[in-house]
Each structure stands twice: as structure tokens, then as C-alpha cells.
Amino acid sequence: MGYLHPSEAVGTQAVMTFARSLTRMVLLLGVLMIPLSVKAASINAADWQSYRTAFLDASGRIIDTGNNGISHSEGQGYGMWLAVLADDQANFELIWSFTKTELLVRDDGLAAWKWDPQSTPHVSDINNATDGDILIAQALALAARQWGRQDLADAGRAIAKAVLDKAVVERGGRTLLLPAASGFADSDRPDGPVVNPSYYIFEAFPLLNELSPSPLWGKLAADGLVAINGFAFGPRKLPADWVSVRTKPRPADGFAQEFGYNSVRIPLYLVRGAAGSPDLYTRMAAGMSLEDGNIATFDLKSGAAKDVLSDAGYRIMPALLACKASKKPIPQELRTYASTLYYPSTLHLLALSFVAQANQECL
């Protein structure tokens, strides 16, 4: 796993030649729907080891250390994605095994979102979280491509189709991503539909379209980007975590009217998905940043900071935006990974992987 050591280099060219030949063969036979690719790891092996030590249980569950030690579909999807980026097939299998055994227990192909070690049964909320489903399906698609695994492609296809069937709706000429199969539609609440802008994982949509082709994926990406551009609430012009789009967009009823922990990852998804404009990047970076270099969650009405977020995994979000908007290098102190809590650590590794893959100008 991880980077190729010199002792392993002998025979690498032969392996690549074999992989290309095998790809041609299976495509001719119509067996493999996602082509093989030989790809170097984009996550440092020591960083991935640190992450696994901190958050990966021996059973294959990713532990949310900032949320009472629960696991959830989001975390499992992130863990699978990171394992692909680290080129670690063994730990991918471990995380995937827990995910399909413990969370894929609904009857519609989506994952239950919450697994609590202190509850009996452990699945304490059977509803899904659509971002978790998308992350799992995306990771399966990437793994199928990277390791030539038709079984993973088939599993990802089933989840992608379920997302289309249960969580993608067209209303008023817009294609919307519902945060869950139940609870957020116009029939579920007076201010519905309600969306969560941080659930739009833009780089995933083309991959899911390969798995389960539909024009809805392209519409979802286009309409989602338009929506995020328009979700500019309060003096800081930031999106809310939960937005009613029944008429004119506004923060949804029953939720804190804040740019919160959900929304701090929007920059990661915009930049990784090559979505959005320099103007959007600049506005969001300014809106989420404090003068001392930290970021914060914000009350949208007043613009006042609520929780100050000093972890490098949070502070790298506006740095990514600044890099892509104006080629400003990421500060040196944000380029080194150290495991802290599950959520910022995950964001940090995904950001560093993005820079390592194709954005050396950020360094």
C-alpha cells in the first residue's frame, strides 16, 4: 500500500503492460464497466497511517471522535475514498465490509446514516444521509477503476441508482438533491423542499453518471452550483447549512440559521470538482475567515462568529479557495498533516490529496 518502494520497482513496467492488456480484453468482452488504471497514491503513507490509527476501528468503522464515538455513512464513505487515494486496497475492503454489513440495511439500496456503539440496535436512525450515499458510491466507483473490480462497480451502481430514485427531484424547473429520502421534500414540511448545499459533491456526479447514466447528474451539478452561488445570506454572504428552496431561498425553519460545520466543507467540494468561479471562491474565503487566520461558524443574521475553528483541516479550506482564485500558495503550516478530530482531519487529508494530485501551484 502507499507509495511504490524502490525494491518493488522491478517488474512495474510489466505490470502496467499486463494491466493495459487486461483492460482491453475485458472491455472487448463487455465485462468491466469501469476501466482499470494504474495510479500512484496521492496521500502520504505516514499521514494515512496516522489517520487509520486515530479513526479506523478494527471492525472497519470510522469513528467520529468529535461526536460521541459514533459512526455514520459519511465517515464510511470518506474512509473508503481516502483508502483509494492512499492505494490501500486491504483497508478499503475492511471499511467497505463494515459499511455494507452494518449500514446498507434499508430496503431501498441507501445506507442508514447513524451507527452508535452505545445503542441496541446499533443503527439508531434508519434514515439515510444522501451525502454519505454519494461518498460511498463515489469511492466504490474509484476503487473499481483503480483496482479493476467489477463487484465494486456493481455495488456503486446500485447505490447511485437508489440516490436518483429516492433523493433527486425536479421542482420548478430545478433539479434538487434532497438530504435524505424522507423528511425534506415539499410533501414532508411546510418550507420544503429543503437542501443542504454541502451535500453537493461535484466531482462525484460524473463518476455516478458512469455507474448509472442519467441526465439528472449533469442537471444536479449545474443547478447545485447556481444554488450555491445564490445562497449568500447575511452580511458575510455565506450559505446556510439548511436552505428552504420552496420559493426564494432562505435558511430553513427549525435549524440554526448559521454557516455551520456542514458548510465549512463546501470549498473542498467546489475546488475538487472544478466548480464555481474565482469570484465565488473569493467571496466565500473572505466570508468564512477571521482576521487572525482562523475560520469560524457564523450566525447568518448578524454575521457574528459562533465557534472559532483553528484546526488546520478547517483553515485549509479558504486557503484552497485563495489558491484556485488567485494562485496564492497555501501557508506552510497547513501543508503538514497531524490527526486531531475526525472531521477536520478528514478534510485536511482530502485537501492535501487534491494539491498533491494536480495542483502543485498551491505549494
Side-chain angles (χ1 to χ4, degrees):
M1 70 186 76
Y3 293 104
L4 186 67
H5 296 287
S7 62
E8 298 171 317
V10 177
T12 299
Q13 186 61 46
V15 171
M16 295 179 69
T17 301
F18 172 75
R20 287 192 292 266
S21 299
L22 182 59
T23 300
R24 287 194 295 269
M25 178 180 71
V26 294
L27 288 175
L28 286 171
L29 292 173
V31 175
L32 189 63
M33 300 305 295
I34 297 180
L36 288 166
S37 67
V38 176
K39 183 178 180 182
S42 62
I43 292 177
N44 179 278
D47 293 347
W48 176 230
Q49 175 66 52
S50 173
Y51 185 93
R52 297 199 321 267
T53 300
F55 311 116
L56 178 57
D57 182 84
S59 68
R61 73 182 186 97
I62 299 292
I63 301 170
D64 186 342
T65 54
N67 194 10
N68 297 317
I70 70 167
S71 295
H72 33 63
S73 57
E74 169 211 284
Q76 296 304 114
Y78 278 144
M80 291 164 61
W81 187 8
L82 290 169
V84 176
L85 295 174
D87 198 26
D88 182 353
Q89 191 168 356
N91 280 299
F92 177 93
E93 285 289 351
L94 181 66
I95 302 167
W96 170 227
S97 177
F98 180 92
T99 304
K100 64 184 175 183
T101 301
E102 298 293 329
L103 296 183
L104 284 169
V105 294
R106 292 166 53 97
D107 60 5
D108 60 2
L110 301 174
W113 83 270
K114 183 178 181 181
W115 194 97
D116 189 340
Q118 301 179 40
S119 296
T120 304
H122 292 308
V123 173
S124 55
D125 189 340
I126 196 66
N127 204 8
N128 75 302
T130 305
D131 68 326
D133 298 307
I134 290 172
L135 287 165
I136 293 167
Q138 174 191 235
L140 288 165
L142 291 170
R145 173 182 292 173
Q146 187 150 314
W147 300 316
R149 294 278 301 279
Q150 182 63 34
D151 59 320
L152 301 180
D154 292 342
R157 182 177 301 109
I159 297 172
K161 184 178 185 305
V163 169
L164 285 176
D165 290 345
K166 300 296 182 179
V168 178
V169 298
E170 295 186 282
R171 295 289 184 275
R174 301 165 298 176
T175 304
L176 305 174
L177 183 68
L178 297 178
S182 62
F184 296 92
D186 49 4
S187 59
D188 293 326
R189 45 186 296 142
D191 65 341
V194 165
V195 300
N196 185 319
S198 78
Y199 282 25
Y200 285 79
I201 306 168
F202 290 98
E203 68 183 292
F205 298 145
L207 284 165
L208 302 193
N209 187 58
E210 291 181 23
L211 293 174
S212 182
S214 169
L216 291 175
W217 296 118
K219 293 179 180 179
L220 197 61
D223 290 348
L225 182 56
V226 169
I228 290 173
N229 267 291
F231 295 163
F233 303 119
R236 287 188 169 269
K237 305 297 183 186
L238 289 170
D241 280 3
W242 305 94
V243 182
S244 166
V245 292
R246 188 174 189 88
T247 53
K248 181 180 179 180
R250 62 177 179 83
D253 298 335
F255 296 96
Q257 295 193 19
E258 66 178 5
F259 173 85
Y261 285 90
N262 280 271
S263 293
V264 298
R265 60 187 168 175
I266 293 174
L268 179 72
Y269 293 157
L270 289 172
V271 168
R272 286 194 62 105
S277 66
D279 286 345
L280 174 61
Y281 293 174
T282 300
R283 168 165 62 85
M284 185 167 287
M288 69 193 301
S289 299
L290 299 172
E291 292 182 359
D292 63 3
N294 294 321
I295 73 166
T297 63
F298 292 95
D299 176 87
L300 291 174
K301 285 186 176 181
S302 67
K306 298 181 72 174
D307 292 342
V308 176
L309 308 179
S310 59
D311 193 294
Y314 294 130
R315 290 189 291 124
I316 202 172
M317 295 295 107
L320 279 179
L321 294 172
C323 168
K324 298 307 293 181
S326 58
K327 299 189 183 301
K328 182 179 179 181
I330 292 172
Q332 187 66 43
E333 70 269 17
L334 301 181
R335 303 180 193 178
T336 301
Y337 173 80
S339 295
T340 55
L341 292 175
Y342 147 78
Y343 187 48
S345 295
T346 301
L347 300 183
H348 201 183
L349 271 191
L350 288 170
L352 292 175
S353 170
F354 171 73
V355 172
Q357 283 177 310
N359 295 273
Q360 290 295 316
E361 72 275 11
C362 294
L363 301 177

